[in-house]
Amino acid sequence: ARFLLEGARHVRDKCGGRMPGEVEELHKIPGIGMYTASAIASIAFGRRAGVVDGNVIRVLSRLRALAGDPRAPANTKLHWRLSNSVVDADRPGCFNQALMELGATVCTPKAPKCGECPARAQCLALRRQEEWGADSEGGPSVTDFPEKVKKKPPRMETIRCCVLVVTSEGRGHFLLIKRPDKGLLAGLWEFPNVPVGAKTEEEGSKPPRGREELVGLLGEILEGGSLEAFTGKGAQKLKEVGSFEHVFSHIKQTTIVDMCSLQVDAKAFGTLSEMQGPRETRLVPVDSKEGVASLSTGVRKAIRLYSGLGKKASVSRKNKKKEGKAEAGKSQRRLDQFFGKGARVKDEE
């Protein structure tokens, strides 16, 4: 949503309100990477520009029998050069869509349908396989390309966050801070948090790991809001409510969740809701379903723990799908219900 707004402003302010048709100009729009820029340019504007996604990489790697990690910078550049060189000049959009579809339906990862492939006569990977002989085990295979590279195990990381509820005039709000504009989860909102070191033999000692640092961070934020809530024995105001795990592509993060409530007057509340600079803050009403739903998965997991639903903080993908289907089933009709007898009456009510 953030990039959608920034992109719209970029088109309005720097492109005269008209979507550019060249790859270079499209790539300057916030949120549009090289793949998206090339796809828009070729499909929407008919520009001769190749695209590179997973399907295209697989097709090109097999056509040229390209060895090496396809994600390596040198190979990435090579795939872009090849894609731009083979794209059809007259119908680039159709060609790109056909190339992606070829990788998705014919030149598949595990069981490619080489006999159906329109490019089989030019495929070097298939030629290597046929020269070896179909009956020989252990020989080269089309599926050797692109090279399969083992992923590095995600690094372990632990943070401690605080679900701080600021209450003013009888209504509670979650206090969030904005992440840096670059790096992991750039520009998203999160609860105040600090990194936590590894466990030690004195694990049972007080205060818990990271608590003092977290109190210090909260003190900085609240002092910036002209509040004097976290001074002296402020650490005693925090209560640990549980923890959860969240897996990114390269990080397995454990979040320890503390909670704290704070009563403020209207003036202090207004100051907190308008803080800018390095510690930009945002207040989201606790009872706002839409506001909470717009937050990141990690923030929502912390809110579940705060709400006493800690057992649901770590939801498997399988159970998540079941929950989603069950929730959708309450409000979404099936096709036969939509077009069936009585559907029109129900729609008109």
Side-chain angles (χ1 to χ4, degrees):
R2 180 172 66 90
F3 281 134
L4 186 62
L5 178 60
E6 291 182 9
R9 286 173 174 168
H10 178 96
V11 173
R12 179 196 64 190
D13 299 337
K14 298 186 178 181
C15 303
R18 295 179 65 86
M19 198 73 171
E22 302 298 332
V23 174
E24 295 76 12
E25 295 303 315
L26 286 164
H27 196 204
K28 294 177 182 178
I29 300 175
I32 293 186
M34 183 56 72
Y35 164 76
T36 305
S38 299
I40 294 173
S42 63
I43 298 172
F45 295 97
R47 301 294 193 271
R48 184 178 180 180
V51 297
V52 173
D53 70 350
N55 290 318
V56 173
I57 288 174
R58 186 164 54 255
V59 172
L60 295 178
S61 294
R62 291 172 178 175
L63 284 173
R64 293 296 187 92
L66 299 176
D69 183 355
R71 297 171 298 178
N75 277 342
T76 298
K77 292 179 181 179
L78 175 59
H79 282 107
W80 275 106
R81 287 200 302 271
L82 290 173
S83 179
N84 284 316
S85 66
V86 301
V87 65
D88 185 80
D90 297 325
R91 302 178 65 190
C94 292
F95 182 91
N96 285 332
Q97 293 178 81
L99 192 60
M100 290 186 284
E101 190 72 7
L102 180 67
T105 61
V106 177
C107 195
T108 54
K110 294 183 179 180
K113 303 170 185 176
C114 297
E116 301 176 14
C117 181
R120 59 184 177 276
Q122 291 79 32
C123 183
L124 296 183
L126 179 60
R127 187 181 304 173
R128 290 171 73 250
Q129 177 178 297
E130 291 176 340
E131 288 175 351
W132 185 273
D135 298 331
S136 301
E137 295 183 2
S141 170
V142 170
T143 56
D144 292 339
F145 304 95
E147 184 176 320
K148 300 172 183 64
V149 181
K150 291 184 178 180
K151 292 183 180 180
K152 294 182 180 179
R155 73 172 187 267
M156 309 301 290
E157 185 179 275
T158 302
I159 64 172
R160 179 179 288 273
C161 79
C162 179
V163 178
L164 178 59
V165 179
V166 180
T167 302
S168 178
E169 298 182 346
R171 192 180 189 190
H173 294 72
F174 294 120
L175 176 68
L176 304 172
I177 60 174
K178 192 176 183 180
R179 289 186 62 86
D181 291 332
K182 295 183 179 180
L184 183 68
L185 304 177
L188 296 185
W189 295 92
E190 65 181 2
F191 288 117
N193 65 84
V194 295
V196 174
K199 291 184 179 181
T200 63
E201 294 181 359
E202 295 83 17
E203 182 65 26
S205 62
K206 301 291 183 179
R209 292 182 298 149
R211 176 67 64 77
E212 291 182 345
E213 293 80 0
L214 183 58
V215 170
L217 173 61
L218 292 171
E220 291 179 18
I221 297 170
L222 297 173
E223 187 177 350
S226 302
L227 301 172
E228 298 178 358
F230 284 83
T231 57
K233 299 180 180 180
Q236 296 180 1
K237 298 178 181 292
L238 273 67
K239 176 184 176 181
E240 186 173 321
V241 294
S243 64
F244 64 87
E245 289 185 350
H246 192 72
V247 181
F248 300 95
S249 60
H250 59 293
I251 300 174
K252 185 175 183 181
Q253 188 179 80
T254 299
T255 300
I256 305 169
V257 182
D258 286 340
M259 63 165 286
C260 180
S261 298
L262 185 65
Q263 293 279 347
V264 299
D265 57 26
K267 182 179 179 181
F269 180 84
T271 303
L272 266 181
S273 62
E274 298 174 356
M275 283 179 61
Q276 301 292 324
R279 294 296 182 191
E280 187 174 349
T281 59
R282 174 188 176 191
L283 293 170
V284 176
V286 172
D287 56 1
S288 172
K289 292 183 179 180
E290 291 183 358
V292 172
S294 68
L295 301 174
S296 67
T297 302
V299 173
R300 295 199 304 273
K301 286 182 178 181
I303 292 175
R304 288 181 185 179
L305 284 173
Y306 161 79
S307 303
L309 302 176
K311 61 183 179 180
K312 293 184 180 179
S314 297
V315 182
S316 68
R317 290 186 177 183
K318 186 175 181 180
N319 290 336
K320 193 173 183 180
K321 287 183 179 179
K322 289 182 178 179
E323 289 182 5
K325 289 180 180 179
E327 188 66 26
K330 296 178 182 179
S331 59
Q332 184 175 342
R333 283 177 285 169
R334 301 190 308 272
L335 285 176
D336 59 345
Q337 293 175 321
F338 188 84
F339 292 108
K341 185 178 180 180
R344 182 179 299 276
V345 175
K346 189 173 183 179
D347 288 339
E348 292 175 351
E349 288 178 350

